[in-house]
Structures are given as C-alpha cells and as structure tokens.
Amino acid sequence: MDSRYDELYKRAKAYGQEHVLKFYPSLSKTSKSKLLDQMEQLDFAELHELFHHMRQPLLGSYDISPMEAYDSEDYSAEERRQFAHTGWDQLRQGKVAALVVAGGQGSRLGHEGPKGTYNIGLQSGKSLFQLQAERLYNLSRRAGRTIPWYIMTSPENHQETVRYFQASEYFGYAPDDIFFFQQNVLPALDSLGRVLLSAKDEIGLTPSGNGDVFASMKQSGALDDLKRRRVEWLFYYNVDNALIRVADPLFVGVAAHHNHPIATKVVEKAYPEEKVGILCLKGGRPAVVEYIDVPKELMYETDSSGQLTYGLGNLSIHLFRTDFIERYADTHIPYHAANKTVKYIDDQGHTVQPASPNAFKFEKFIFDFFPLTERMTVLKVRRDEEFAPVKNKECKDSPATARRLVQDLYKRWLLEAGAAPSLLESRDIEISPLISYAGEGLTPEVLKVLLDTQFN
Ligand SMILES: CC(=O)N[C@H]1[C@@H](OP(=O)(O)O)O[C@H](CO)[C@@H](O)[C@@H]1O
C-alpha cells in the first residue's frame, strides 16, 4: 500500500468511514486511484458535523411573521414606465446577467436528459432552454448588448447540456457569452452516518443544492467572469418555469430603484398546500420557509380578510447584487437533510436497492442567503403571466398544465392586440419569444403574419 492510501485511510478512520476502502485491495490500478481521488475531495469533518447536527429542527414556527411585498398590479402606468426605463438602462449598460440552475434531469417527466432540454409540447417543439434563450436574445437585441448567461449544470448532465447547446448553435448566442459550470456534490450518508458507495471503486455523490451556487461560481471562475464584465445584478432562476421572464427589465428596474442587495418575485399561493416555499420574516429578517418545512398551523392561517397569512409563494426568481455575492460566496449557509432511497453497495459488495428511505442527502437552499440582508425587495407578480412550473409528469405542475398556461397567455396577448376572439376560440397560436417578450410589439402586421403562418 502506498503512502497516499495510508494517509487517506487514517483520515477516513478518524471519522468511522474507513469502510469506503473495503474493496480497495481487489481493485484495478485505475480504480484505486479513482477512489483515492474521490476521497481526497471529501471533507470528513464536515460530513461528521452534518450528520450529528441535522436532527435539531432547522426551524420552528416561533419567530416567524408575515412579510410585506410590493404588488406590481398596484403600480400606475407611469410607475411601470419608470421602472422599466431604469431596468432597460441597466441592460443597455451591461449590468445584468442571467443565471439558471439546471442541474436536474428530466427523469421525473419521463425524459432522459437534462431538464432544460425538455420540450413541453408547444407546436414549435421548443425546449425550456430554447424558450429562455430566445427571451434573452430578444432583450439583448433590443438593449444592443448581450446578456451574459451562466448555466449551472451537475456532474450528471454537464456534458449533455454543453453538447445540446453546441448542437443548437447556442440559439444565436456567442459561445463566449454563455458560461457553463457544475454544481458541487457530496456523499449521501446511511442511517449510521456512513458514506455510501455506489460501486466498489466509487463513493455515491449527490448535488449539494442550489444554495451552493455562489461557491460553485467562485470555484469555476464564473464569479470572476461576472466581475470582469462589471455585471451588477444577477438574475437567478429555475430551469423548470416555462413562463420565466428571464432578466425582466421591469423587475431589474424595481430592484435597482430600491437597491437592496436582493430582490425576489413572488405570487399569491394558489392553495395552502401548494409546493412552493413561503416568503416571510424570521427573527425579523427576510427568509423563505420551504414547503416541506412549513408547519401546518402556518400553512392554513388566514388574516382578517380571509387571505393566507403566509401566502407569498417563492417562485425561485431572484436578483442578487454582485457585491452581495462576492461578499457572501464563501459564507456557510445551513444544509437541509432529506431522507431518501439511495441504491448502494453493501459490505459484501452486493448492490442493494432499498424499498424505503435508507439515506440522508444534504442540500443547501439559495434562499438561506436572504437572512444575510436586513432588507430585500419583494415584488408580487401575476401568476398567469410568470409561473408555469414543470415538476411532475402528470396532474399538477406538469407539462400539460405549463403548456396550457403558456398558450392562455399568448391568447390574451393576441386578444389585447386586437385579434378576433372567434379566430382563437378553438385553436392555439404560438408566439415566438423572438417576436414578443411580454406581449409587446404585436402590431396588426405581425398579427397577420402570425395568423397566416399558423392557420394555413
Ligand atoms: C430549494 C428551493 O429553491 N426550492 C424552491 C424550488 O422548489 P423545487 O421543488 O426544488 O423545484 O422552486 C419552487 C418554485 O418552483 C420554490 O417555491 C421552492 O421554494
């Protein structure tokens, strides 16, 4: 055995994890060094700490109070104009970039491949990535300046994502203006806190959550790139929202006007059990309580007007000021533990596929950065204009519901632009984001072309 092995064995043993080397003697030379490389990346002390502290409840209902939000529907036409003007100014000056967290696979939707490559079934067959790219392209063209796009993948889908963009010629983007980087990973632990092996020569690793995004940006050079470009606002969003208004100028304008380090968009929850986190104050500071953690009594609590007291749903649409990211990229935010079913290799070397949860996965959540600022801008928007999540194969938040939401919005835009209702009654017309970002620009000429090309 070599000295590298000895050193790592000692390190692992100090934390009761030496079983990961159980099959080492029987491994090939390549497998041996692969396993040792993996071990070198592990922080055994951190894993120990994580396991032994996760049982303490992360939050209780004490300390939580409702939060105030600006309602975009309450803005006058003049205010909207002003905010949009400010936002466009920021875009024109190159002060805005977009960041999509896209580490997930489409497996829950029955799609083999990165979730962003999933097509929700619009006539055009455009993928989620393509819809986003075209919205960004539309804004970039009008701003006279490309909006840099940061794409966080996972080790599982990185190559496929990059290849997909290459094959699509980056949807018209200059490859230099898209920055791919991978999210961090860490091992899953069994009920005794032992690291699980996914093969005799491999430690099972799972993504460490969207809350690690700034750390990953820093490690990958994406943060330096952001600074080099003098970006001031980073528009953060989830890959799975088919109606995402990427880099929305109005939102940027509102955020820049108030100039708190973070701004976020919310919607009124559709029903109390909806699987969205809730925006609130915790100990007087901005926070999100994730849906799995919301205590029942808070979930159903209503105010004197019958509205949910905690009804501000988190859309995963945030703006972060770059100086905030820089300052806090290395700050430790807590891990959330989840009990999951994880396939593993047992001590005899057999593959085990458990029938019930056997392991803990650990994730950081992006919104745990919120309490680091005393105040943030919260903007309530219209759900039917901005939120069409694709999470499940069927029923709620599925491709079918998302597609309906997208088509209904297009229909409203067309009606507002003067299309005859009878024309749209039983048919869907798709509006390319290259033509309209948020319903603008649908002149009679454009309408005519749209109707002609899609009806004939
Ligand atoms: C950790 C995290 O970011 N959770 C977010 C995120 O949920 P997921 O179920 O992880 O997609 O997106 C939701 C909106 O789609 C938001 O309500 C929730 O709080």
Side-chain angles (χ1 to χ4, degrees), residues 148-398:
W149 195 10
Y150 298 88
I151 298 182
M152 185 169 84
T153 63
S154 59
E156 197 182 5
N157 75 7
H158 185 80
Q159 285 212 335
E160 218 183 325
T161 306
V162 174
R163 272 204 297 267
Y164 173 78
F165 273 82
Q166 280 165 348
S168 318
E169 296 184 342
Y170 302 92
F171 305 105
Y173 249 79
D176 269 2
D177 291 325
I178 301 189
F179 195 119
F180 298 94
F181 66 99
Q182 296 189 40
Q183 76 180 123
N184 293 333
V185 285
L186 85 173
L189 303 179
D190 71 9
S191 57
L192 300 172
R194 293 170 12 133
V195 166
L196 289 172
L197 289 176
S198 52
K200 287 183 180 170
D201 64 348
E202 192 178 76
I203 291 166
L205 296 171
T206 63
S208 57
N210 54 30
D212 239 2
V213 62
F214 299 145
S216 305
M217 282 186 83
K218 189 162 177 179
Q219 286 153 23
S220 64
L223 188 55
D224 279 338
D225 189 77
L226 196 73
K227 287 191 296 187
R228 186 178 58 74
R229 292 173 189 262
R230 298 185 194 285
V231 168
E232 290 184 9
W233 290 100
L234 185 63
F235 181 97
Y236 168 105
Y237 68 103
N238 258 6
V239 74
D240 65 7
N241 178 2
L243 279 178
I244 184 73
R245 288 193 177 169
V246 198
D248 178 13
L250 183 88
F251 182 38
V252 172
V254 174
H257 172 81
H258 296 289
N259 206 24
H260 298 308
I262 311 173
T264 189
K265 278 189 185 182
V266 294
V267 287
E268 207 56 62
K269 272 171 88 170
Y271 46 93
E273 308 82 8
E274 188 180 16
K275 287 191 172 170
V276 289
I278 52 163
L279 253 289
C280 57
L281 294 173
K282 229 188 110 200
R285 300 183 84 96
V288 168
V289 180
E290 186 61 322
Y291 48 90
I292 34 169
D293 297 322
V294 177
K296 281 268 180 305
E297 64 274 16
L298 293 193
M299 192 182 285
Y300 294 102
E301 190 182 315
T302 50
D303 61 21
S304 54
S305 62
Q307 295 269 84
L308 289 176
T309 311
Y310 296 96
L312 299 183
N314 173 34
L315 298 177
S316 292
I317 304 175
H318 318 304
L319 275 164
F320 290 94
R321 243 174 36 202
T322 307
D323 61 334
F324 176 89
I325 300 174
E326 249 195 287
R327 179 160 172 208
Y328 291 111
D330 294 326
T331 300
H332 283 286
I333 57 171
Y335 276 100
H336 298 245
N339 206 202
K340 298 269 168 107
T341 307
V342 178
K343 196 159 104 180
Y344 67 100
I345 302 288
D346 68 12
D347 286 345
Q348 281 69 51
H350 301 130
T351 303
V352 183
Q353 175 65 69
S356 54
N358 62 313
F360 294 96
K361 286 187 177 180
F362 300 91
E363 283 191 334
K364 289 180 179 174
F365 294 166
I366 184 76
F367 47 67
D368 284 330
F369 282 100
F370 291 5
L372 296 173
T373 176
E374 226 164 281
R375 295 194 59 194
M376 58 185 270
T377 308
V378 183
L379 182 66
K380 204 198 291 189
V381 296
R382 275 180 63 165
R383 166 188 289 271
D384 59 1
E385 289 183 343
E386 310 214 19
F387 191 44
V390 187
K391 312 250 184 214
N392 310 309
K393 194 162 185 219
E394 275 151 6
C395 301
K396 286 187 180 126
D397 301 339
S398 65

